[in-house]
């Protein structure tokens, strides 16, 4: 009897199953768009490429709903802590799922969320799941996996100053960007990857990355040789890769560590190179790694024994950039141990790293407490406790000088439709951990104290209210803030979904903090109040089944000290269509923007190719258009073409320095092919 309701549900939907299976690539792109929309810190750098990679991997190795642990469900990213608990309770009360389409019946999910999850989950029985991969021999893993090849190129059509013959600082290579990647994978057991890239202006494909990753269900859970990333605890010691800070509703307050995993992105800094392993023994989970690689740096003496700046752009176009390439070595050792008993999880983590030269930076008052030596050691303890509808979590860390950083938070549900997140952080001004990436208002896990509260209320299946308030202070100076300072930020959003064909939201956000300001008749900078306000309305609707429309209008305002308030707005129209007669997807945008300056810029995520992304800043006055095409030559071969152009009506040139373009427009062409075998 316990499966009677799901069976009736499946019978009712049996003729509509195919319609519910959305285009997986389209779903992944929409998920990335939602992540971009939920990110309230527009100046933060998010590696969307890793999100693409993660969900693309789930397409080939979906989460088994009948065996998934809480940690497995957390890696779906779309689920809140309440929804994960609700699913686990549903499975406990009803037994194994007969089909993944039962997800729509789980409290707190709904049709829209369930449809987004379908491509990334399965409801295979234990026997089928084990038979598919766990019993495979190594010879089978080598010969029966899947191959994927990705090749991409792009170029800016207008000539930048660095490519001109009379340029003072000249780019050494062509303006063509190249990217290629090969991946082999057998189920969830064996994977290897090679990624290479040439940036515009570089001579050749000077970045090469790769790894081999083996997974099992035995004592050795994972072994990686090559390039990898690591995420432990709440990020006070070590957190590579994708991370969000503030988001409406607070779903990103508690970080969900992935441990160690292979690296296939193109950021030339945020990864390790060496060997990493993860082991599990009873209730203990242990990860450890050793890494040695070279870093780009500005050398301060002729012997190469001192450097003063780490270069993180990954660009090697000019002579000075080429000279800084791989000029300093870095060795790192680290690990994490977790113990889990029922609803309690505790762990410790640590990391030591050392540069091959003395790190002596150019000291300024604002950076005098940042890392300024060749080696450092960090260690931390973290804990997480679940009780009914509440999750408490905390982490505290120390560096080589015994300076401390701590974080404590909670996620809980008052009622089935009310969720609250709380977080307090306190990072000493002189806490030093270069690979930390914890919750913060600033860009570093250092020199900050703050309290964050967020809530989500869903009075019905169609409407959701969410928002947050964050108050923070900086005990020491910061870049462009010549005094200890404080501030606050808030955001409020209303989502309304009449059906999966009509969704809309209104989002309001504001941030108030401090900034240096030098009046025209003065020679000394003052620290004054700064306010940044945004409000936008977004509507997404479907017409005639295959035609999808999206509109947004956004207003921005900026005020600093006694200066006149700056204003700006942006409006765009998106059109996407999937042809039924032949395998072609088309998406396009027309945007008009008018802002007083860079201070009132507006960011908007653009539809792009799989594994690629574009989040440009709309500022000054002008128009932007793009056209994106995806054509499926066969089921195994997909081709993308993209063209975009920004036309400014109040500028005679764009960019500056070597990136300067004489003219009022920028045009970019992209092409990509993905082959799966």
């Amino acid at each position: 009897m316990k499966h009677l309701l799901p069976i009736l549900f499946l019978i009712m939907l049996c003729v509509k199953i195919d319609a519910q299976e959305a285009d997986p690539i389209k779903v992944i792109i929409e998920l990335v768009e939602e992540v971009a929309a939920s990110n309230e810190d527009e100046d933060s750098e998010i590696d969307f490429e890793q999100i693409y990679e993660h969900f693309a991997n789930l397409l080939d190795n979906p989460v088994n709903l009948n065996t998934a642990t809480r940690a497995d469900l957390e890696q779906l990213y779309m689920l809140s802590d309440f929804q994960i608990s609700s699913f686990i309770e549903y499975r406990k009360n009803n037994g194994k799922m007969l089909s993944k389409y039962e997800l729509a019946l789980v409290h707190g999910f709904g049709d829209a969320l369930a449809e987004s999850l379908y491509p990334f989950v399965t409801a295979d029985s234990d026997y089928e799941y084990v038979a598919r991969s766990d019993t495979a021999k190594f010879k089978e893993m080598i010969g029966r996996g899947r191959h994927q090849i990705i090749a991409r190129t792009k170029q800016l059509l207008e000539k930048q100053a660095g490519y001109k013959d009379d340029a003072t600082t000249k780019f050494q290579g062509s303006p063509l960007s190249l990217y290629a990647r090969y991946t082999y994978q057998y189920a969830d057991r064996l994977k290897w990857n090679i990624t290479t890239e040439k940036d515009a202006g570089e001579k050749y494909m000077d970045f090469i990355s790769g790894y081999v990753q083996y997974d099992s269900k035995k004592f050795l859970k994972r072994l990686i040789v090559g390039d990898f990333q690591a995420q432990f605890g709440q990020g006070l010691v070590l957190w590579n890769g994708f991370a969000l800070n503030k988001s409406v509703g607070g779903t990103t307050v508690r970080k969900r560590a992935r441990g160690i995993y292979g690296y296939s992105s193109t950021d030339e800094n945020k990864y390790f190179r060496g060997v990493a392993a993860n082991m599990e023994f009873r209730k203990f989970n242990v990860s450890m790694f050793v890494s040695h690689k070279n870093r780009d740096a500005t050398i301060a003496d002729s012997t190469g024994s001192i450097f003063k700046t780490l270069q993180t752009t990954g660009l090697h176009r000019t002579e000075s950039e080429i000279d800084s390439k791989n000029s300093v070595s870095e060795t790192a050792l680290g690990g994490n141990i977790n113990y889990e008993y029922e609803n309690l999880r505790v762990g410790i983590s640590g990391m030591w790293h050392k540069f091959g030269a003395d790190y002596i930076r150019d000291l300024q008052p604002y950076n005098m407490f940042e890392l300024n030596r060749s080696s450092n050691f960090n260690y931390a303890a973290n804990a997480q406790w679940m009780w009914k509808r509440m999750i408490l979590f905390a982490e505290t860390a120390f560096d080589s000088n015994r300076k401390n950083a701590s974080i404590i938070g909670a996620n809980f549900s008052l009622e089935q439709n009310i969720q609250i997140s709380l977080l307090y952080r306190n990072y000493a001004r002189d806490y030093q951990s270069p690979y930390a990436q914890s919750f913060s208002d600033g860009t570093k896990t250092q020199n900050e104290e703050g309290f964050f509260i967020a809530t989500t209320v869903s009075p019905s299946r169609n409407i959701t209210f969410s928002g947050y308030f964050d108050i923070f202070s900086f005990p020491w100076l910061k870049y462009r803030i010549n005094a200890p300072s404080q501030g606050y930020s808030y955001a409020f959003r209303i989502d309304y979904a009449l059906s999966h064909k009509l969704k809309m939201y209104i989002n309001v956000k504001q941030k108030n903090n401090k900034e240096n300001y030098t009046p025209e008749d003065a020679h000394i900078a003052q620290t004054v109040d700064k306010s940044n306000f945004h409000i936008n309305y977004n509507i997404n609707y479907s017409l005639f089944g295959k035609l999808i429309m999206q509109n947004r209008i956004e207003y921005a305002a900026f005020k600093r000290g006694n200066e006149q308030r700056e204003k700006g707005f942006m409006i765009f129209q998106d059109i996407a269509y999937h042809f039924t007669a032949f395998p072609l997807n088309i998406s396009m945008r027309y945007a008009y923007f008018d802002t007083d300056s860079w201070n009132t810029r507006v960011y908007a995520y653009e539809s792009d190719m799989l594994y690629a992304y574009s989040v440009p800043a709309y500022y000054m006055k002008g128009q932007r258009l793009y056209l994106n095409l995806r054509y499926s030559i066969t089921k195994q071969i997909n081709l993308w073409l993209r063209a975009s152009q920004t036309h400014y009506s109040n500028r005679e040139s764009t960019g500056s320095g070597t990136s300067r373009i004489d003219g009022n427009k920028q045009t970019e062409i992209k092409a990509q092919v993905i082959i799966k075998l």
Side-chain angles (χ1 to χ4, degrees):
M1 293 296 292
K2 64 183 178 181
H3 279 299
L4 180 59
L5 184 59
I7 291 173
L8 292 175
F9 175 76
L10 292 173
I11 292 174
M12 293 172 62
L13 296 181
C14 63
V15 297
K16 298 182 180 180
I17 294 296
D18 291 337
Q20 287 185 318
E21 286 290 0
D23 177 8
I25 294 177
K26 178 176 175 292
V27 171
I28 293 177
I29 293 175
E30 288 178 347
L31 287 172
V32 176
E33 290 178 356
E34 183 62 27
V35 170
S38 67
N39 176 41
E40 296 302 320
D41 187 3
E42 294 178 327
D43 293 325
S44 64
E45 297 182 2
I46 301 176
D47 192 347
F48 292 104
E49 189 176 352
Q50 292 197 14
I51 310 176
Y52 278 126
E53 172 69 17
H54 181 70
F55 281 103
N57 183 63
L58 287 175
L59 285 178
D60 295 326
N61 302 281
V63 173
N64 188 345
L65 296 173
N66 288 326
T67 60
T69 63
R70 176 177 289 272
D72 295 330
L73 296 170
E74 287 179 349
Q75 298 311 312
L76 289 170
Y77 286 124
M78 291 174 276
L79 300 180
S80 66
D81 288 330
F82 165 73
Q83 289 166 331
I84 292 174
S85 297
S86 180
F87 171 81
I88 292 174
E89 184 177 354
Y90 176 90
R91 189 175 61 184
K92 179 180 178 181
N93 294 335
N94 295 279
K96 294 180 179 179
M97 286 188 160
L98 299 179
S99 168
K100 61 185 177 183
Y101 299 106
E102 285 187 49
L103 277 178
L105 299 177
V106 180
H107 178 72
F109 278 60
D111 295 337
L113 176 60
E115 289 174 15
S116 296
L117 287 168
Y118 290 152
F120 312 109
V121 298
T122 184
D124 290 347
S125 68
D126 289 343
Y127 173 78
E128 293 169 331
Y129 183 75
V130 172
R132 186 177 60 220
S133 63
D134 289 3
T135 59
K137 304 298 183 182
F138 188 74
K139 183 178 180 180
E140 183 179 2
M141 288 188 280
I142 291 293
R144 297 187 180 181
R146 296 181 178 179
H147 305 264
Q148 178 175 269
I149 299 171
I150 305 174
R152 183 192 311 141
T153 182
K154 67 177 180 179
Q155 182 171 333
L156 193 65
L157 298 187
E158 290 79 18
K159 180 175 286 190
Q160 295 176 309
Y163 297 106
K164 295 183 178 180
D165 295 335
D166 59 350
T168 303
T169 303
K170 188 175 177 59
F171 294 150
Q172 302 298 300
S174 73
L176 189 68
S177 296
L178 299 172
Y179 168 91
R181 192 173 91 185
Y182 166 71
T183 303
Y184 175 87
Q185 184 164 2
Y186 176 81
D188 56 353
R189 297 291 306 281
L190 181 65
K191 182 177 183 179
W192 63 73
N193 178 92
I194 298 175
T195 302
T196 183
E197 181 194 43
K198 171 195 175 298
D199 293 306
E202 296 179 339
K203 282 186 176 181
Y204 49 85
M205 302 182 82
D206 69 342
F207 176 68
I208 300 177
S209 174
Y211 69 89
V212 177
Q213 177 175 308
Y214 171 77
D215 293 276
S216 76
K217 301 296 187 293
K218 299 179 181 179
F219 170 73
L220 180 63
K221 304 289 291 183
R222 174 168 291 175
L223 177 65
I224 303 174
V225 178
D227 296 342
F228 59 91
Q229 291 187 314
Q231 298 175 351
F232 299 143
Q234 293 299 310
L236 291 180
V237 169
L238 173 57
W239 192 280
N240 290 137
F242 169 67
L244 286 175
N245 277 331
K246 302 176 187 180
S247 65
V248 177
T251 55
T252 59
V253 165
R254 183 179 67 86
K255 289 185 178 293
R256 302 171 177 183
R258 294 178 61 188
I260 57 170
Y261 56 97
Y263 180 70
S264 56
S265 189
T266 54
D267 187 297
E268 300 186 23
N269 298 281
K270 299 177 182 178
Y271 68 95
F272 296 109
R273 176 166 289 174
V275 180
N278 175 252
M279 295 152 285
E280 192 169 89
F281 177 71
R282 295 182 180 177
K283 297 184 182 299
F284 288 92
N285 186 286
V286 180
S287 296
M288 58 183 65
F289 69 87
V290 58
S291 167
H292 182 81
K293 67 172 186 176
N294 293 324
R295 300 283 302 271
D296 294 357
T298 302
I299 301 299
D301 69 335
S302 58
T303 64
S305 60
I306 299 175
F307 72 99
K308 60 181 181 179
T309 306
L310 286 171
Q311 302 293 341
T312 59
T313 64
L315 298 175
H316 309 107
R317 306 163 301 176
T318 65
E319 290 184 0
S320 62
E321 290 175 347
I322 294 172
D323 289 342
S324 70
K325 180 177 173 60
N326 294 334
S327 55
V328 173
S329 65
E330 181 185 44
T331 302
L333 303 171
N336 173 260
I337 301 175
N338 279 327
Y339 174 79
E340 190 167 350
Y341 178 74
E342 295 183 351
N343 294 327
L344 176 66
R345 182 190 302 168
V346 294
I348 57 174
S349 55
M351 177 182 167
W352 171 86
H353 76 98
K354 180 178 177 61
F355 295 112
D358 292 330
Y359 189 9
I360 303 178
R361 66 169 72 235
D362 291 333
L363 288 179
Q364 302 292 331
Y366 75 89
N367 69 6
M368 63 182 299
F369 293 111
E370 295 183 14
L371 184 66
N372 194 35
R373 58 182 183 273
S374 61
S375 65
N376 190 59
F377 178 70
N378 298 90
Y379 55 96
N382 65 82
Q384 176 179 295
W385 179 55
M386 292 174 287
W387 180 69
K388 294 184 178 179
R389 294 180 179 175
M390 179 174 65
I391 297 180
L392 299 176
F393 58 94
E395 184 172 35
T396 187
F398 295 88
D399 64 11
S400 300
N401 295 323
R402 298 184 180 179
K403 304 303 180 181
N404 172 254
S406 297
I407 192 169
I408 184 170
N411 291 337
F412 55 93
S413 301
L414 296 179
E415 298 290 342
Q416 293 181 344
N417 59 344
I418 301 177
Q419 301 170 54
I420 297 177
S421 298
L422 304 171
L423 183 140
Y424 170 76
R425 73 269 192 191
N426 191 338
Y427 311 143
R429 66 180 184 178
D430 43 4
Y431 176 71
Q432 299 172 351
S433 183
Y435 281 94
Q437 192 178 182
S438 192
F439 188 99
S440 65
D441 178 80
T443 57
K444 297 181 175 68
T445 306
Q446 181 186 41
N447 185 36
E448 181 173 331
E449 182 178 10
F451 179 76
F452 177 91
I453 180 171
T455 184
T456 298
V457 180
S458 302
S460 69
R461 292 175 64 91
N462 297 331
I463 190 167
T464 300
F465 300 93
S466 54
Y468 73 77
F469 181 81
D470 186 40
I471 185 170
F472 46 85
S473 65
F474 307 111
W476 187 246
L477 285 59
K478 290 174 62 67
Y479 178 64
R480 298 181 65 185
I481 306 177
N482 291 343
S485 60
Q486 59 283 323
Y488 67 88
S489 63
Y490 68 84
F492 179 72
R493 175 165 162 165
I494 304 175
D495 286 87
Y496 178 71
L498 183 63
S499 68
H500 68 280
K501 293 184 178 181
L502 175 61
K503 303 175 185 178
M504 65 182 75
Y505 66 79
I506 297 176
N507 191 62
V508 180
K509 58 184 177 182
Q510 181 169 342
K511 181 175 180 179
N512 286 53
N513 57 352
K514 304 287 185 178
E515 187 175 284
N516 291 344
Y517 170 65
T518 305
E520 292 183 0
D521 57 347
H523 300 285
I524 300 176
Q526 305 172 3
T527 301
V528 298
D529 292 328
K530 182 182 72 171
S531 174
N532 207 322
F533 174 82
H534 286 256
I535 180 171
N536 68 67
Y537 169 73
N538 192 95
I539 182 170
N540 189 301
Y541 50 97
S542 177
L543 300 174
F544 317 116
K546 301 295 183 180
L547 179 64
I548 299 175
M549 313 280 280
Q550 183 179 8
N551 305 82
R552 177 184 296 179
I553 182 169
E554 182 160 347
Y555 169 82
F558 176 86
K559 184 77 165 62
R560 177 173 50 203
N562 295 323
E563 290 184 313
Q564 185 176 357
R565 184 181 302 274
E566 299 177 21
K567 302 175 183 178
F569 78 92
M570 182 272 295
I571 184 169
F572 72 65
Q573 169 70 64
D574 282 359
I575 301 175
Y577 189 79
H578 174 63
F579 292 89
T580 55
F582 51 99
L584 177 67
N585 284 272
I586 181 172
S587 60
M588 62 183 74
R589 170 178 295 176
Y590 170 78
Y592 178 81
F593 53 93
D594 187 354
T595 76
D596 289 338
S597 71
W598 173 257
N599 294 323
T600 48
R601 64 194 178 276
V602 175
Y603 291 95
Y605 184 90
E606 297 181 346
S607 179
D608 209 312
M609 307 170 176
L610 188 62
Y611 299 108
Y613 59 92
S614 177
V615 192
Y618 295 77
Y619 69 101
M620 302 306 288
K621 185 176 182 179
Q623 309 168 69
R624 180 168 170 83
L625 305 94
Y626 73 75
L627 175 65
N628 197 31
L629 303 175
R630 174 165 68 94
Y631 181 72
S632 299
I633 300 175
T634 67
K635 289 184 178 181
Q636 291 75 36
I637 304 176
N638 280 272
L639 177 66
W640 276 265
L641 294 172
R642 189 178 196 270
S644 62
Q645 184 181 83
T646 303
H647 183 278
Y648 297 96
S649 57
N650 61 347
R651 303 181 67 182
E652 296 181 355
S653 64
T654 65
S656 61
T658 54
S659 298
R660 178 186 171 90
I661 295 174
D662 294 327
N664 63 346
K665 62 181 180 180
Q666 292 185 9
T667 309
E668 184 183 70
I669 303 295
K670 277 185 180 181
Q672 175 175 277
V673 62
I674 297 182
I675 303 172
K676 290 187 175 183
L677 303 174

